[in-house]
Structure formats: C-alpha cells, structure tokens
Amino acid sequence: MKKNLINQNGVSDKFWNVEYSGNTQKIVFGKTGTKGRETTKEFADEKECIRESEKLISQKIRKGYIEIPEHDEIPQKAELSETEKADIYFWEAIEKSNKYKNAHWSEYDVDEHLENLTVYLSRFGKERLVLFEKTLQEKLSALYTAEIAELSIILECEFSADNGSYIFNDYLSDDGFIYFRCWLLLKGRAFFEDIQKDIQAFVSGKYSFNIGDCWAEGLLYVSDEAYSANHDNEDESEIRDTVDELYPDHHYDSMDREMNREPKGGAALQTMYPKLVKEMVELRSS
C-alpha cells in the first residue's frame, strides 16, 4: 500500500509519502521539489505495520495534508506575497503560544500567553520580527472602529439600570482602547474575523473569556523583547523603530486615524446589541 500526501496550506509546501508492505514501512518526506529524507521501520508483524501506518496517515490529514494520486505531479504552489506570509506568521505565533486556547477561561492567563509569545518569537531573526510588528500594527488599526469601541464600552464602562434599560457611560481612554484591542488579538484569527463582522460573536458560545481582565498592553512590546533575547537592542525599540521607518502609514496610534463613525453609548447600545448587552450585564452584575 502506498499513499502520497502534500501540504500546501499557508507557507507550507511539503510532501509526505508512505509505503508499507508486510511488516516494513518506508516514509519519504520533505520540501516539495527536493529528494526529501527517507526512513524505514520494521514492525513485529503485518497487522501492526498497517495499524501504525494508517495512524500516521490520519495524523497527517488532521494537520492539513491531502492525498494526491500516485502518478500525479505535485501542483506548483502559488508564491505568497509578503503581506500574506506576514499574516500567516502573525496568527501562527499568537495561536501556537497560547497553551490554553481550548481551555476554560479561568485557566487562561494573559501574562503567561505574552511570555510564551515572546519566547516563541525569539527563535526568529529581525526580518520575521519586523513582519510580526508590522502586522500587529495593521490588525490594531483594523480594530479601530466604532463597533469595537462599543464592545469595549459594554465590557468595561460603568452602567446603570433604569426601568429595564441599561445606560452605559461611553468614556474610553486612548491608551485603554489600544490595550483592549491587544487583548482581542490574543484570542486568535477566527475570533478576530468573527468580531469584525459582528461584535455579538463575543457571546456566540464559540469563545470563552475572562472579561475581568480585558487589557494586554504587553503585546505592544513582545517583538522588541523577543529581539532583545539574542541581540543588543538600543532603547529596546529596534523592531518598532524599523517598522516606523519602513511602514509609516501603519501605526495604530497615528493622529490621522479616524473611525468609521462616532461610537454610541447610553441606552443606544442595548437596542443595537440586545444579546450582547443582556449577557454581559448579567455577568458583570453577578
């Protein structure tokens, strides 16, 4: 039996082939276009060889590999742009450094996530860190909207009740709103995309958060902290300074930034987001 698998998702462009007969298993794997590496393993009997080979095939498919017919050529992967690569690298770093992404919210710790993220990024050179910082600033800018500001108001600002209506104080500090958006980004790509479409995705049941700690200021500094782990980093801002020089239009804190509209406050938020307000008010009041 022989299976040929490839993975061309994101920045990956790899092949993995397995051939097994009797009690012998041969695997060839590597980057597409190369000869790859070969391993051979013998099992106690044919039954064990089949079982273990099929287990490996299932694992590869779960990781994004797909099977191609034996005699078909591997399709040529389209070259990704710098922006596409940076986007993949960014979310990969955010999600791989979160050890508790599938756990209950009470097990998640923002500081631990940021520490893990710094360690993860310290493995890479300056070019990759610059791409991470550039993408971070782009994502923060993308979240500079009235809807995200209204989410912050509902989760963080004081409110009062009047005959079944909830009235929110709509004051947001500039710095606090940046830290709030950092916290949203740490929740990963799927959440980022959902929340941009509708902030009521926050209470869709897909996600679990501790709304008592909605700031992640440290995300603003992880690229430089990661760089400092292996390099002299003057003023501890080498990466951020480089991004400012190369991409001056990307800064999340630019004075020229504008929202799509003025954020609402007061009683209007309950009308606009009834499910979100109901669940958050009940949670914050408990």
Side-chain angles (χ1 to χ4, degrees):
M1 176 70 73
K2 185 174 183 179
K3 295 283 186 180
N4 300 323
L5 307 178
I6 61 170
N7 185 344
Q8 295 185 325
N9 295 319
V11 295
S12 296
D13 192 8
K14 302 178 288 187
F15 70 92
W16 185 88
N17 301 335
V18 61
E19 185 173 3
Y20 49 101
S21 177
N23 68 334
T24 303
Q25 175 197 79
K26 183 176 77 172
I27 294 174
V28 182
F29 64 96
K31 182 176 174 58
T32 299
T34 69
K35 184 178 179 180
R37 294 172 55 193
E38 181 178 315
T39 64
T40 302
K41 186 174 182 179
E42 291 190 355
F43 295 89
D45 53 41
E46 183 177 15
K47 186 176 180 180
E48 182 183 8
C49 182
I50 293 172
R51 183 177 67 249
E52 293 302 315
S53 298
E54 289 179 348
K55 184 188 298 183
L56 286 176
I57 293 168
S58 296
Q59 290 173 352
K60 289 295 180 182
I61 290 173
R62 284 198 299 272
K63 290 181 179 180
Y65 282 78
I66 60 171
E67 184 178 356
I68 61 171
E70 182 177 351
H71 300 293
D72 280 16
E73 290 188 8
I74 297 176
Q76 186 171 357
K77 180 179 172 64
E79 185 67 26
L80 296 176
S81 68
E82 179 189 86
T83 299
E84 290 171 323
K85 288 180 181 178
D87 197 66
I88 291 167
Y89 291 148
F90 178 81
W91 290 120
E92 184 178 79
I94 293 289
E95 291 170 6
K96 284 191 174 182
S97 58
N98 182 5
K99 306 301 183 184
Y100 301 99
K101 58 186 174 185
N102 296 318
H104 187 266
W105 64 264
S106 60
E107 298 180 46
Y108 175 81
D109 183 88
V110 170
D111 293 333
E112 182 181 357
H113 190 175
L114 291 170
E115 289 171 7
N116 292 339
L117 179 58
T118 303
V119 171
Y120 178 87
L121 290 173
S122 68
R123 301 157 43 197
F124 303 106
K126 183 176 179 179
E127 181 180 355
R128 180 85 164 252
L129 292 173
V130 166
L131 287 178
F132 178 89
E133 179 65 26
K134 167 182 174 282
T135 308
L136 169 62
Q137 296 194 16
E138 290 173 343
K139 303 303 182 190
L140 288 171
S141 295
L143 291 177
Y144 189 74
T145 67
E147 292 80 10
I148 299 300
E150 288 157 355
L151 177 63
S152 179
I153 291 168
I154 293 168
L155 267 59
E156 299 187 281
C157 290
E158 294 182 355
F159 63 90
S160 59
D162 182 16
N163 293 323
S165 294
Y166 297 104
I167 303 166
F168 289 84
N169 180 334
D170 59 2
Y171 171 74
L172 288 177
S173 71
D174 287 342
D175 286 345
F177 188 43
I178 293 172
Y179 307 155
F180 177 74
R181 285 178 281 153
C182 287
W183 180 75
L184 295 179
L185 289 178
L186 287 178
K187 307 310 165 191
R189 182 175 198 157
F191 175 73
F192 172 79
E193 293 174 350
D194 282 352
I195 213 72
Q196 284 189 296
K197 297 172 186 173
D198 182 1
I199 65 169
Q200 293 197 106
F202 197 88
V203 289
S204 64
K206 293 169 59 178
Y207 308 103
S208 171
F209 306 131
N210 175 12
I211 64 167
D213 187 9
C214 296
W215 284 9
E217 177 184 1
L219 184 58
L220 301 175
Y221 313 111
V222 292
S223 57
D224 272 298
E225 289 178 358
Y227 187 70
S228 296
N230 301 302
H231 305 83
D232 291 332
N233 191 353
E234 187 175 354
D235 298 327
E236 298 184 341
S237 60
E238 172 72 18
I239 302 301
R240 283 171 289 159
D241 289 346
T242 300
V243 171
D244 288 345
E245 292 171 8
L246 295 176
Y247 310 101
D249 297 332
H250 286 61
H251 203 277
Y252 59 87
D253 203 18
S254 169
M255 295 298 292
D256 297 328
R257 68 195 190 285
E258 292 184 4
M259 285 191 182
N260 50 321
R261 60 171 173 79
E262 195 70 23
K264 303 291 185 182
L269 295 178
Q270 186 174 3
T271 302
M272 297 169 68
Y273 312 110
K275 179 177 172 60
L276 176 64
V277 168
K278 180 179 183 296
E279 292 197 24
M280 290 301 100
V281 165
E282 289 177 354
L283 187 59
R284 292 182 61 190
S285 302
S286 60

